[in-house]
């Protein structure tokens, strides 16, 4: 009786891996969530709050359209989004 042991194969994407680009050291040491605002609070190594700059918010809307009231197969929809 012959037992054949197959060698494990590397994951298919392993050949696409590359080293990380040069990293940038960020000025914060910890992040917590403010319970009142549910926003992240970034603090430096001395415990002082670090301003990480502003970011925008986004929202999207979707409108359903029906072209044939007898059939559910003739439906479409429109989508849009806003970013500030």
């Amino acid at each position: 009786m012959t037992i054949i042991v197959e060698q494990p194969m590397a994951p298919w994407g392993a050949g696409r891996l590359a080293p990380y680009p040069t990293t940038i050291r960020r000025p914060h040491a910890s992040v917590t969530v403010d319970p009142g605002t549910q926003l992240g609070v970034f603090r430096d190594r001395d415990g002082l709050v670090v301003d990480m700059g502003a970011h925008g918010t986004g929202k999207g809307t979707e409108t359903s359209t029906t072209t044939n009231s007898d059939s559910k197969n003739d439906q479409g929809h429109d989508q849009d989004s806003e970013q500030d």
Side-chain angles (χ1 to χ4, degrees):
M1 179 166 155
T2 304
I3 299 175
I4 299 174
V5 179
E6 293 185 25
Q7 295 294 327
M9 294 179 58
W12 68 269
R16 301 176 57 187
L17 295 175
Y20 285 111
T22 303
T23 58
I24 300 171
R25 186 141 180 87
R26 294 289 179 194
H28 68 279
S30 68
V31 182
T32 57
V33 176
D34 181 310
T37 63
Q38 296 294 303
L39 297 175
V41 179
F42 298 82
R43 297 187 183 276
D44 64 12
R45 297 192 193 313
D46 297 324
L48 301 174
V49 175
V50 176
D51 181 17
M52 297 302 282
H55 68 283
T57 57
K59 68 177 183 175
T61 58
E62 183 172 356
T63 305
S64 180
T65 60
T66 304
T67 58
N68 182 354
S69 62
D70 295 336
S71 173
K72 293 186 177 183
N73 294 335
D74 290 342
Q75 288 187 355
H77 63 276
D78 296 326
Q79 293 180 336
D80 66 354
S81 62
E82 293 179 19
Q83 182 74 31
D84 62 354

